[in-house]
Amino acid sequence: MQADTTLLLRAAGSDEYWWPQSLIWSGRRYAPFEIFARCRSSRYLARFLPVLGLAKSEELVGLIGSFYKPEHGQQLPRWEYDSLPLKEVTGFGELASKP
């Protein structure tokens, strides 16, 4: 599921397509995946951003935010009534909050 989330963000940042099939099971997850929990550290986040094809943490914040603004063309993956809680599984509010 961590890999699917990573590939989803990488694809969205480069105008490619990725359907994260395994994330159907993350619909009720309210804690960040380990790889994103580690991104609380600004040093770890700086090393992780190239994996996503990004250069700055602000780009990642904007990319995640674009999934919540339909006018930006990104849509959260949905499975019937469940959708991916992207802000929760990426630890959106705590990115780079520690040195």
Side-chain angles (χ1 to χ4, degrees), residues 29-48:
R29 183 177 178 90
Y30 299 103
F33 291 128
E34 181 180 349
I35 195 166
F36 292 102
R38 290 177 184 230
C39 287
R40 290 177 184 146
S41 161
S42 56
R43 286 185 292 230
Y44 188 89
L45 180 60
R47 290 189 308 227
F48 182 66

Side-chain angles (χ1 to χ4, degrees), residues 11-90:
S14 61
D15 294 328
E16 295 178 10
Y17 178 75
W18 181 262
W19 184 255
Q21 190 62 38
S22 72
L23 291 179
I24 189 171
W25 307 111
S26 69
R28 291 181 175 84
R29 183 177 178 90
Y30 299 103
F33 291 128
E34 181 180 349
I35 195 166
F36 292 102
R38 290 177 184 230
C39 287
R40 290 177 184 146
S41 161
S42 56
R43 286 185 292 230
Y44 188 89
L45 180 60
R47 290 189 308 227
F48 182 66
L49 287 172
V51 172
L52 299 174
L54 304 173
K56 296 185 229 173
S57 61
E58 293 82 16
E59 293 177 45
L60 178 57
V61 169
L63 180 62
I64 293 171
S66 71
F67 280 92
Y68 293 91
K69 298 176 184 170
E71 65 272 7
H72 290 227
Q74 301 292 347
Q75 289 186 330
L76 285 171
R78 299 189 68 77
W79 300 271
E80 294 187 19
Y81 297 105
D82 286 329
S83 68
L84 172 65
L86 188 61
K87 286 185 177 180
E88 286 81 8
V89 299
T90 59

